């Protein structure tokens, strides 16, 4: 088969999408970036903590690997995690070369400490504005490089062709649909945190990439592992703004309304215990007290340290009349990160020829059942670099061919109000039944409701799925996987199976069942 004359299409503009586009450009390719909102709007932009890399004199990739493996609770893919931790320092050097202004002291990159890391190894920028600086820097380089960008455009459908190429159906905000043949397509669409009622993610993180890949027949894995962050701002009417773990790394303490510490001694490392341990401890304290938040008390940290290290959080809290150095901050858990996703090999290849997946939308196996803090931006970089190698193998240069414009009607009745109502229902269902504490009863009830929603939301033949339908597909994948995994491991906690089980020490794949043939359908009806 001759290589088709096609160009890479990158879907998403967080760290993974922008980095792949830039490195692809440096390799002589001419990628197009398609992004759901503005080029600079993504989960990356809101990342506070930073990126983990073994850069300190007392550290090594082997230690970083050991911490990553321990956090992943028996499910980390050793080969993937070795690559992640070995290649981390080189990828940080790439970001420095692109101009990301990491914080330094005495000419060396400053390293912070976060939960479940045995060493200080978190590089950060602007104190707690790491994601903002990365996003802004990479965006500036992408614009300078003249990379083709299509904002406010979503990938609505992927259709595999027999020659290994994919037809990507793109839908612009406000109408207009086009189809492009592209090989490869790089999914870098981020996670599904926005499908939960309480989430640290921006509203756009609604799991579209999972839904599109699933519909196209790609294999997904480990969707039950949703990581909750223990400390998001919790004030009625305010966003669940992330209050970074790095504050606990500096010594901030969790207390209840009476100012008492409540973490059980079993939490091991206290405030630096893994996130799932802290989330369950907070959830139990809230159930006990009837309150809807606990407090993060950073008043023991010197004010000049707080100002230097956490300027963004300090500014945010000031708008609510709070001062980190004087006031304990109301916090509660929020959905934060989708650990599972579209299953890939070590080069970003999915089970669907021509489709690569990178970053939060991908499941490389590096996080196992629970992601170590600040390994997520890193995953986008490390596996993004590997995906670029694949792009080089399969793509010639030049811009995308002109689009074939189609006129596909939106699903009937899929107005803005209905979409929002459907999303709100998905958010309530997931928060209630596929949240921090899960059970067979709750998950089975949610699954039944998702089946009804899926019947309602799935587009009729010849129309495109809307965002409400994607939310239903992605939410249902999470519920299905959580119901199937009858154990507790990492970020997945089942009150009816409160311990890990040896028989479940494996990944859980999800794939759409093939459409039955007409003959099979007839036989089933008979
Ligand atoms: C944080 O800053 O607490 C979040 C970092 C992460 O999720 O890796």
């Amino acid at each position: 088969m001759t290589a088709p004359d096609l160009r890479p299409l990158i879907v998403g503009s967080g760290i993974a999408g922008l980095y792949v586009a830039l490195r692809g450009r440096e390799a002589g390719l001419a990628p197009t970036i398609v992004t759901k909102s503005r080029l600079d709007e993504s989960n990356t932009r809101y990342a506070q903590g930073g990126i983990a890399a073994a850069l300190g004199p007392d550290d090594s990739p082997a230690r970083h690997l050991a911490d990553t493996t321990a956090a992943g609770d028996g499910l980390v893919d050793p080969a993937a995690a070795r690559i992640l931790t070995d290649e981390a320092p080189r990828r940080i050097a790439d970001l420095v070369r692109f101009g990301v202004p990491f914080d330094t002291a005495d000419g060396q990159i400053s390293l912070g400490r976060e939960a479940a890391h045995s060493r200080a190894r978190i590089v950060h920028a602007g104190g707690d504005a790491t994601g903002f600086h990365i996003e802004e820097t990479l965006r500036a380089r992408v614009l300078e490089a003249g990379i083709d960008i299509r904002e406010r455009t979503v990938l609505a459908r992927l259709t595999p062709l027999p020659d290994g190429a994919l037809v990507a159906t793109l839908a612009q905000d406000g109408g207009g649909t086009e189809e492009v043949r592209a090989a490869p397509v790089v999914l870098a669409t981020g996670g599904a945190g926005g499908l939960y009622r309480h989430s640290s993610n921006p509203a756009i993180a609604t799991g579209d990439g999972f839904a599109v890949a699933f519909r196209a027949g790609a294999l997904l894995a480990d969707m039950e592992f949703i990581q909750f962050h223990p400390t998001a701002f919790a004030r009625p009417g305010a966003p669940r703004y992330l209050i970074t773990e790095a504050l606990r790394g500096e010594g901030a303490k969790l207390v209840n309304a009476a100012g008492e510490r409540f973490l059980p001694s079993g939490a091991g490392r206290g405030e630096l215990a893994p996130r799932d341990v802290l989330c369950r401890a907070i959830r139990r304290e809230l159930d006990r007290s009837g309150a809807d938040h606990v407090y993060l008390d950073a008043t023991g940290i010197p004010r000049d340290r707080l100002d230097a290290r956490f300027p963004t959080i300090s500014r945010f809290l000031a708008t609510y009349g709070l001062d980190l150095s004087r006031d304990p901050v109301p916090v509660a858990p929020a959905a934060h990160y989708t650990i599972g996703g579209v299953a890939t090999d070590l080069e970003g290849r999915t089970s669907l020829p021509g489709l690569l997946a990178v970053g939060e939308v991908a499941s490389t196996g590096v996080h196992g059942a629970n992601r170590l803090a600040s390994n997520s931006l890193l995953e986008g970089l490390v596996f993004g670099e590997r995906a670029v190698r694949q792009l080089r193998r399969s793509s010639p240069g030049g811009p995308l061919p002109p689009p074939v414009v189609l006129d596909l009607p939106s699903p009937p009745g899929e107005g803005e109000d209905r979409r929002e109502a459907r999303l709100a229902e998905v958010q309530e269902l997931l928060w209630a039944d596929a949240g921090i504490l899960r059970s067979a009863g709750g998950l089975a009830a949610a699954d039944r409701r998702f089946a009804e929603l899926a019947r309602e939301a799935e587009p009729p033949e010849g129309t495109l799925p809307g965002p409400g339908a994607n939310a239903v597909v992605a939410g249902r994948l999470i519920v299905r996987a959580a119901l199937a995994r009858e154990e507790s491991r990492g970020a997945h906690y089942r009150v009816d199976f409160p311990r890990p089980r040896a028989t479940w020490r494996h990944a859980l794949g999800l794939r759409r069942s093939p459409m039955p043939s007409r003959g099979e359908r007839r036989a089933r009806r008979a």
Side-chain angles (χ1 to χ4, degrees):
M1 192 176 75
T2 54
D5 181 27
L6 301 172
R7 326 286 186 236
L9 183 72
I10 298 168
V11 190
S13 61
I15 190 169
L18 297 182
Y19 180 83
V20 170
L22 280 170
R23 294 287 292 133
R25 180 59 132 205
E26 287 184 335
L29 305 174
T32 291
I33 300 175
V34 167
T35 188
K36 182 176 178 179
S37 177
R38 294 189 323 262
L39 186 65
D40 63 353
E41 177 64 339
S42 73
N43 226 343
T44 296
R45 188 177 188 82
Y46 302 94
Q48 294 173 0
I51 309 183
L55 297 175
D58 61 345
D59 203 359
S60 66
R63 281 188 199 282
H64 186 184
L65 174 63
D67 292 344
T68 298
T69 306
D73 206 2
L75 284 195
V76 166
D77 179 312
R82 184 173 293 283
I83 286 169
L84 182 85
T85 50
D86 279 354
E87 296 181 9
R90 270 174 279 157
R91 299 293 77 85
I92 298 297
D94 284 341
L95 290 189
V96 170
R97 182 168 62 79
F98 284 133
V100 176
F102 288 120
D103 297 331
T104 56
D106 305 324
Q108 301 293 318
I109 290 185
S110 305
L111 299 172
R113 183 87 185 258
E114 285 182 358
H117 285 273
S118 59
R119 294 288 184 276
R121 63 165 73 99
I122 315 302
V123 305
H124 46 83
D128 55 1
T130 312
F132 171 82
H133 286 289
I134 292 171
E135 188 75 24
E136 281 298 297
T137 306
L138 296 186
R139 184 179 74 105
R141 297 295 89 80
V142 161
L143 293 175
E144 278 163 24
I147 290 172
D148 182 27
I149 299 157
R150 305 208 186 153
E151 293 183 306
R152 301 186 196 285
T153 301
V154 295
L155 173 66
R157 188 163 59 203
L158 280 172
T159 312
L161 296 178
D163 67 358
L166 289 166
V167 173
T169 307
L170 306 177
Q172 287 115 31
D173 204 4
T177 308
E178 59 187 72
E179 284 201 331
V180 291
R181 264 170 65 95
V185 172
V186 182
L187 265 191
T189 44
L195 294 183
Y196 278 79
R197 176 167 165 219
H198 298 299
S199 168
S200 64
N201 295 184
I204 56 167
T206 49
D208 298 288
F210 305 121
V212 171
F214 181 75
R215 281 200 191 90
L219 178 69
L220 280 81
D222 295 339
M223 289 298 289
E224 65 276 31
F225 295 115
I226 300 293
Q227 187 172 64
F228 295 84
H229 196 290
T231 57
F233 188 57
R235 175 165 283 187
R240 283 270 156 126
Y241 184 84
L242 192 70
I243 307 293
T244 180
E245 181 156 314
L247 256 168
R248 281 175 280 123
E250 294 283 338
K253 304 289 179 223
L254 283 164
V255 295
N256 61 19
E260 295 155 352
R261 311 280 302 276
F262 60 84
L263 293 182
S265 50
R269 303 192 210 181
E271 273 75 2
L272 293 184
R275 290 176 183 177
D276 62 299
V277 174
L278 294 184
C279 284
R280 284 196 296 280
I282 294 173
R283 173 68 201 263
R284 290 194 172 114
E285 174 61 21
L286 298 181
D287 289 347
R288 188 199 62 76
S289 65
D292 60 6
H293 59 265
V294 294
Y295 291 89
L296 187 67
D297 185 345
T299 57
I301 305 173
R303 181 179 203 120
D304 55 346
R305 181 76 188 143
L306 289 172
D307 288 346
R309 191 65 183 83
F310 305 104
T312 316
I313 293 178
S314 299
R315 270 197 306 278
F316 170 82
L317 292 176
T319 63
Y320 290 90
L322 295 172
D323 175 344
L324 255 187
S325 69
R326 285 205 314 258
D327 305 307
V329 180
V331 293
H336 183 57
Y337 186 82
T338 313
I339 292 172
V342 184
T344 69
D345 66 9
L346 300 177
E347 307 290 326
R349 287 176 293 211
T350 72
S351 65
L352 208 61
L355 181 67
L356 304 173
V358 182
E360 190 172 351
V361 72
S363 174
T364 58
V366 284
H367 307 307
N370 208 4
R371 177 178 65 83
L372 186 66
S374 290
N375 266 355
S376 53
L377 298 176
L378 178 61
E379 184 191 22
L381 294 173
V382 167
F383 290 93
E385 179 70 19
R386 293 175 150 252
V388 170
R389 297 207 303 234
Q390 292 307 311
L391 295 185
R392 292 172 67 178
R393 279 183 199 132
S394 46
S395 308
L400 275 173
V404 179
V405 180
L406 292 183
D407 208 9
L408 285 172
S410 302
E414 186 69 347
E416 192 60 31
D417 289 356
R418 185 67 202 106
R419 268 205 299 271
E420 289 196 353
R422 189 174 286 132
L423 179 61
E425 183 170 359
V426 168
Q427 288 168 333
E428 291 296 335
L429 277 172
L430 290 180
W431 185 255
D433 295 319
I436 296 167
L437 304 180
R438 303 161 169 189
S439 71
L443 287 165
D447 188 38
R448 283 193 296 277
R449 181 62 190 140
F450 267 111
E452 287 165 12
L453 286 173
R455 272 193 295 278
E456 246 178 80
E458 219 27 48
E461 198 73 23
T463 63
L464 283 176
N470 284 350
V472 171
V473 171
R476 197 175 186 198
L477 291 170
I478 294 169
V479 166
R480 272 292 165 94
L483 185 57
R485 186 175 284 278
E486 294 186 329
E487 66 160 355
S488 289
R489 185 185 291 279
H492 170 69
Y493 191 86
R494 288 276 301 258
V495 292
D496 42 354
F497 296 97
R499 269 175 277 287
R501 296 165 80 194
T503 48
W504 269 105
R505 199 165 167 240
H506 56 76
L508 177 61
L510 294 158
R511 195 183 341 235
R512 202 194 59 180
S513 17
M515 278 291 280
S517 69
R518 204 174 288 169
E520 283 167 334
R521 284 203 298 271
R522 256 200 312 271
R524 275 187 209 170
R525 278 199 299 269

